Amino acid sequence: MFKLSYILLLTLVLVSCREDFTFHSTEVNEELNFISEINPEEPVTVDLFKTISLTGNNSEIDLTMAEIDFGGSDFPSKSTKVIYRAVDDNFILRNTDFRPSPGNSYWMRAWIPNSDLDTISAQTFIPEPIGLRSAEIISLEKYRISDTKENVKVEIEIELETPKQRPGYFQILPSRKVSTFRMDENGNPIVSNTSDILPLNVDQIQTARNAVFEFNHKDGVFVDYSRLNGQKIILTLLTDDPIDNSREILSLLDIKINTLSEELYNYHLNLSTQLINSQSDFFTPADHYTNVENGFGVMGSFSSKSSTIEVQ
């Protein structure tokens, strides 16, 4: 979890177990940083980092000794502890059963006792989730790749519900539910839909391209609702894994909508921009995005809602 990197010129890249952490800084001092993406479906976890300078004196600080307080507007007490758990090599909320909920604000504060590193802090508000107002499969094409394997291309038109908070930012994650079939005594297929899902790749964004974007480090597509202007979103999707047509059938699509907090969207937008620019021969580091006071990184949040679409 604790990976150390260096300030080289003006760019520092930290890699966590979950995300690349990129920022542009002229600072040479040691700093504490964290990344935390909280949501109602998972326990609260934190990835903690320390920046190191090649030109300064670096201390031998043990990050596992960090103190992290976590609190929220729905907490019965002022705060609780996020603790280091060696079995997972991660910081996790002491009460692992607790789940943050939409419509509430949460904050986090981290520091290293008996060190010169500044205390860092951040806060986020979990937005209310939205789903699909409408969805329609426009076309479906099958591409046989063997006697029993085929890929499927699906063109789908979707319309989002109206956000309950503004600004509105979303991540659309398309998948297919694994459906199997068998033939009855009359030769008719009997379809069984499982709870397993497999991702679908976004092959093309056909409409609303000024509002819908792909980030090369994240799955699905991202939407800036303020740019959508009532447009419906048409996507071309491809199966990521071939379908075994001797036992599987494409029967149901699963469209998951993550409603993102503003700081989480801005963090991933900035990170995607930096990753794209870094591939250019004329790369100039972009200013980093952070909502962490006295440090770098992000404390962001999201909520989720899924919709099932039948394939005719």
Side-chain angles (χ1 to χ4, degrees):
M1 169 184 165
F2 305 122
K3 296 182 172 70
L4 303 181
S5 297
Y6 301 91
I7 296 178
L8 300 175
L9 299 178
L10 300 179
T11 304
L12 174 66
V13 178
L14 294 176
V15 180
S16 77
C17 60
R18 297 170 58 187
E19 302 292 348
D20 288 337
F21 178 25
T22 306
F23 65 84
H24 164 209
S25 174
T26 58
E27 298 294 329
V28 295
N29 296 325
E30 288 182 303
E31 289 177 320
L32 196 60
N33 315 281
F34 62 55
I35 298 173
S36 182
E37 300 183 21
I38 67 174
N39 67 89
E41 298 180 356
E42 300 174 315
V44 174
T45 60
V46 183
D47 293 334
L48 196 64
F49 306 92
K50 185 184 69 169
T51 59
I52 293 181
S53 170
L54 285 177
T55 60
N57 295 321
N58 299 305
S59 62
E60 297 295 330
I61 294 176
D62 182 1
L63 294 181
T64 66
M65 302 304 294
E67 295 278 348
I68 304 177
D69 285 342
F70 178 83
S73 55
D74 60 342
F75 265 44
S77 58
K78 184 177 179 181
S79 66
T80 188
K81 289 292 184 182
V82 179
I83 60 174
Y84 178 73
R85 192 161 62 180
V87 65
D88 297 320
D89 191 24
N90 198 9
F91 281 92
I92 189 168
L93 195 68
R94 175 178 289 159
N95 180 6
T96 56
D97 293 328
F98 173 81
R99 297 293 184 272
S101 57
N104 286 292
S105 298
Y106 298 92
W107 59 267
M108 196 173 294
R109 182 172 60 244
W111 70 96
I112 307 289
N114 304 315
S115 80
D116 295 330
L117 298 183
D118 289 337
T119 297
I120 60 175
S121 61
Q123 60 182 354
T124 187
F125 173 84
I126 300 185
E128 297 284 349
I130 70 161
L132 298 180
R133 174 170 289 158
S134 64
E136 179 183 357
I137 294 177
I138 300 174
S139 66
L140 187 149
E141 299 178 61
K142 298 180 179 180
Y143 301 90
R144 185 178 295 274
I145 58 177
S146 72
D147 289 342
T148 60
K149 299 287 186 179
E150 63 186 16
N151 283 320
V152 179
K153 178 186 287 187
V154 181
E155 189 176 80
I156 184 172
E157 179 186 80
I158 61 177
E159 182 180 8
L160 297 178
E161 292 177 345
T162 303
K164 298 177 181 179
Q165 291 97 24
R166 302 292 180 91
Y169 302 104
F170 308 96
Q171 181 186 19
I172 301 175
L173 294 167
S175 304
R176 68 176 177 93
K177 290 198 173 182
V178 177
S179 300
T180 60
F181 72 91
R182 62 180 178 85
M183 296 298 183
D184 64 15
E185 61 274 9
N186 297 318
N188 299 314
I190 299 176
V191 177
S192 299
N193 297 313
T194 74
S195 59
D196 297 331
I197 62 172
L198 292 173
L200 294 172
N201 294 325
V202 177
D203 182 57
Q204 186 179 4
I205 302 169
Q206 296 195 30
T207 62
R209 299 183 66 146
N210 63 321
V212 183
F213 317 95
E214 289 185 272
F215 294 164
N216 59 1
H217 67 292
K218 297 291 286 185
D219 294 330
V221 295
F222 286 74
V223 180
D224 181 345
Y225 193 85
S226 66
R227 299 185 177 189
L228 204 53
N229 297 321
Q231 300 174 84
K232 292 185 178 181
I233 300 169
I234 298 179
L235 302 174
T236 302
L237 309 174
L238 291 174
T239 47
D240 187 49
D241 296 311
I243 294 176
D244 181 355
N245 56 28
S246 67
R247 58 180 294 274
E248 287 185 76
I249 186 171
L250 186 60
S251 175
L252 299 173
L253 300 185
D254 182 270
I255 307 297
K256 185 177 184 179
I257 310 294
N258 287 338
T259 302
L260 311 177
S261 65
E262 185 173 7
E263 62 275 355
L264 189 58
Y265 174 83
N266 286 334
Y267 169 76
H268 286 300
L269 174 63
N270 177 263
L271 177 54
S272 181
T273 300
Q274 294 218 31
L275 292 174
I276 292 172
N277 289 344
S278 67
Q279 300 171 12
S280 169
D281 293 336
F282 306 100
F283 170 53
T284 300
D287 288 339
H288 64 276
Y289 175 84
T290 179
N291 71 330
V292 178
E293 185 177 354
N294 295 327
F296 294 96
V298 69
M299 180 183 181
S301 58
F302 64 92
S303 57
S304 304
K305 190 173 183 180
S306 294
S307 300
T308 300
I309 303 168
E310 292 187 7
V311 178
Q312 302 297 330

